[in-house]
């Protein structure tokens, strides 16, 4: 009897141990499935584009306003162009009359906000688009609307590359403008030096508006004056004038009466 009871006890212990081992074996696949599910559901960040940024709106403001909908990561605002900034600053200074320091602040044109989860970024862009920025009545941004757009498959590295490309293009443009200005300045200096050398060769470098030396053909009046200035030239000039007048009268009479014009080859002064 004792032997049978001991055999029954050992059999019951083995059954209990087998039952205890089965749940442990079942728990291991469940843990592996949970790990696999956790690996598949990896959180992917999403970026939202801000097309409109009101004056005096800072990255801290957008972080405080959008952090209520989800975890906000990096925020970047593109500052306005330097020419526009200087123009606005000059306008603010002229408005005050120069009596006191102008209260001009740096403004931004566009911005990018990164959310830790792209699903939250999509939801925020869809729900807040074209809605007031400020919920309170005394908020300075109450009458400004959100202009949000979710950038599909856009990462922060793409933004960094885009900004680096814009900086490079701006530097190349500035370098080209400086080179063009230098070429114009060199051409002006060379022209000034060439003009000074030309005036010095002309013999009067102190007078910038000196006359240019060149030879001109004498006119008919000058030729007649020279001939008249010679000895006996006045008499020849008088006879030439009388002969020209007579020749013109003869030609006129020949045209009137139909007679042939007189030959001019045999006439001598």
């Amino acid at each position: 009897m004792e032997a049978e009871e001991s055999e029954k006890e050992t059999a019951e212990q083995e059954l209990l141990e087998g039952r205890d081992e089965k749940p442990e074996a079942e728990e291991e696949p469940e843990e592996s499935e949970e790990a696999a599910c956790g690996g598949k559901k990896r959180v992917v960040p999403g970026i939202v584009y801000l097309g409109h940024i009101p004056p005096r709106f800072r990255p801290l403001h957008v972080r405080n306003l959008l952090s209520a909908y989800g975890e906000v990561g990096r925020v970047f605002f593109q500052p306005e162009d330097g020419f526009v900034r200087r123009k606005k600053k000059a306008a603010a200074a002229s408005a005050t009359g120069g009596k006191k320091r102008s209260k001009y602040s740096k403004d931004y044109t566009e911005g990018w906000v990164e959310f830790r989860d792209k699903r939250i970024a999509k939801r925020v862009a869809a729900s807040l688009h074209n809605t007031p920025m400020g919920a309170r009545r005394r908020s300075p941004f109450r009458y400004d609307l959100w202009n949000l757009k979710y950038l599909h498959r856009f990462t922060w590295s793409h933004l960094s590359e885009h900004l680096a490309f814009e900086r490079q293009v701006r530097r190349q443009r500035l370098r080209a403008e400086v080179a063009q200005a230098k070429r114009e300045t060199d051409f002006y200096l060379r022209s000034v030096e060439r003009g000074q050398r030309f005036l010095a060769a002309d013999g009067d470098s102190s007078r910038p508006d000196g006359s240019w030396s060149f030879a001109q053909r004498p006119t008919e009046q000058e030729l007649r004056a020279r001939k008249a200035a010679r000895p006996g030239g006045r008499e020849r000039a008088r006879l030439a004038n009388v002969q020209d007048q007579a020749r013109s009268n003869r030609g006129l009479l020949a045209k009137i009466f139909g007679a042939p014009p007189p030959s001019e080859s045999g006439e001598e002064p």
Side-chain angles (χ1 to χ4, degrees), residues 7-24:
E7 289 176 0
K8 289 180 181 180
E9 291 177 358
T10 54
E12 291 176 358
Q13 289 178 0
E14 289 177 357
L15 291 172
L16 293 174
E17 289 175 358
R19 291 176 182 175
D20 295 337
E21 288 175 357
K22 287 180 181 178
E24 290 178 0

Side-chain angles (χ1 to χ4, degrees), residues 39-263:
K40 290 180 181 178
K41 294 180 181 180
R42 185 172 58 89
V43 178
V44 179
I47 296 178
V48 176
Y49 172 73
L50 275 75
H52 168 69
I53 298 179
R56 302 181 184 277
F57 194 73
R58 298 293 178 265
L60 182 60
H61 296 150
V62 71
R63 186 180 294 275
N64 293 335
L65 292 174
L66 298 181
S67 59
Y69 304 95
E71 185 179 358
V72 178
R74 291 169 286 192
V75 178
F76 177 77
F77 280 7
Q78 179 71 24
E80 61 186 1
D81 191 25
F83 175 75
V84 179
R85 191 185 311 122
R86 289 191 297 270
K87 194 172 181 180
K88 287 184 178 180
K89 193 172 183 179
S94 62
T96 56
K99 297 181 180 179
K100 58 181 180 179
R101 190 175 180 181
S102 60
K103 296 182 179 180
Y104 172 73
S105 61
K106 183 178 179 181
D107 293 333
Y108 301 92
T109 57
E110 55 186 356
W112 292 264
V113 181
E114 182 187 33
F115 285 88
R116 295 300 182 186
D117 192 352
K118 68 177 183 180
R119 293 172 296 181
I120 298 176
K122 292 179 181 179
R123 194 180 304 116
V124 168
S127 60
L128 294 183
H129 186 60
N130 286 335
T131 58
M133 287 186 173
R136 296 178 299 177
R137 292 184 177 179
R138 295 185 179 181
S139 176
F141 316 113
R142 176 176 175 80
Y143 298 101
D144 293 298
L145 302 179
W146 287 107
N147 188 0
L148 303 177
K149 181 181 180 180
Y150 175 75
L151 302 179
H152 184 62
R153 293 184 179 179
F154 188 83
T155 60
W156 200 262
S157 60
H158 296 160
L159 176 61
S160 302
E161 293 175 0
H162 176 68
L163 296 175
F165 176 74
E166 286 187 349
R167 285 194 297 268
Q168 187 68 18
V169 170
R170 194 180 302 111
R171 290 174 185 172
Q172 290 181 357
R173 189 185 298 113
L174 180 61
R175 196 180 298 112
E177 291 177 356
V178 170
Q180 179 67 18
K182 188 177 180 181
R183 284 194 297 269
E184 293 177 358
T185 304
D186 294 342
F187 176 76
Y188 175 75
L189 293 176
R190 285 196 302 270
S191 301
V192 171
E193 292 177 359
R194 192 182 298 112
Q196 291 177 354
R197 287 197 302 268
F198 189 81
L199 291 176
D202 194 18
D204 190 6
S205 60
S206 62
R207 187 175 59 180
D209 56 348
S211 62
W212 305 93
S213 61
F214 57 91
Q216 183 179 2
R217 291 183 60 184
T219 61
E220 187 178 357
Q221 293 179 358
E222 291 177 355
L223 291 175
R224 289 182 179 179
R226 289 179 185 177
K227 289 181 180 180
R230 295 176 185 176
R234 292 182 179 178
E235 188 66 21
R236 288 197 198 94
R238 188 178 63 81
L239 291 175
N241 290 333
V242 171
Q243 187 178 4
D244 293 342
Q245 187 175 3
R247 188 182 298 112
S248 63
N249 293 335
R250 288 174 187 176
L252 180 61
L253 291 173
K255 289 181 180 179
I256 292 173
F257 296 103
S263 61

